[in-house]
Amino acid sequence: MKNIIIFASGSGSNAENIVRYFSSSKNVTISYIVSNKKEAFVLKRAEMLNIKSLVFEKKDFYENDSVLNFLLAENPNLIILSGFLILMPPKIIDAFPKRIVNIHPALLPKYGGKGMYGNKVHEAVIYNKEKETGITIHYVNDKYDEGEIIFQQKCIVDENETLLSLSEKIHALEYEFFPKVIGELAK
């Protein structure tokens, strides 16, 4: 059985989608949802989905080894970042090489980096009159959105695209492809 831990900072719709996708799997289990924000809605989702959760403070991530020690004890096959907005510390990346995976709502290397997430990405795509955008699933390294690309899926940006319509297109791609790619990586 492959063990997956999900890190999330926000509402957690992608995390819930992943949990539901693997809920009847005989090969993959989601053991924890971990967050750096105690008020994040993803923690309510974890409770509703009967998934254990852990909340940590920044000092547990960067100053002491609490999160690292938790991960070493749980020994996940994959760590999935799903709307997790802070940079992974090098000591965690080093402990889990090519086992930490992130999703980004654009075709990297475009529109990546610190501060580029969610609607900020979609706004930039529309502002720059891009003809296409999409999602990128990539391994995590010590820089925002610069890890090795695993998978990309494109979609057309319509001439009259709105923030809402583009956001819905990207979410549809994320919901369809992120669990499938995770499943492939977990084989």
Side-chain angles (χ1 to χ4, degrees), residues 15-115:
E16 180 175 345
N17 184 55
I18 293 165
V19 170
R20 290 190 186 285
Y21 183 88
F22 290 108
S23 64
S24 61
S25 173
K26 295 181 182 2
N27 304 320
V28 174
T29 185
I30 311 299
S31 61
Y32 272 90
I33 292 178
V34 178
S35 184
N36 61 310
K37 294 187 174 186
K38 65 177 182 256
E39 71 283 352
F41 191 72
V42 72
L43 297 170
K44 296 271 188 238
R45 290 182 196 266
E47 188 178 329
M48 291 182 319
L49 295 163
N50 205 25
I51 302 289
K52 292 182 279 189
S53 63
L54 174 76
V55 178
F56 67 90
E57 295 180 18
K58 240 179 183 172
K59 69 177 174 23
D60 300 325
F61 209 43
Y62 294 115
E63 296 170 28
N64 64 53
D65 290 336
S66 296
V67 175
L68 174 61
N69 290 336
F70 161 77
L71 290 170
L72 290 171
E74 290 297 319
N75 194 26
N77 298 92
L78 289 171
I79 298 167
I80 302 301
L81 309 187
S82 179
F84 185 68
L85 301 179
I86 61 176
L87 198 60
M88 274 280 167
K91 61 187 168 190
I92 292 178
I93 294 167
D94 292 344
F96 298 92
K98 286 210 170 182
R99 288 166 59 191
I100 307 174
V101 177
N102 186 38
I103 189 166
H104 187 76
L107 298 172
L108 293 174
K110 286 186 169 186
Y111 306 108
K114 186 174 173 72

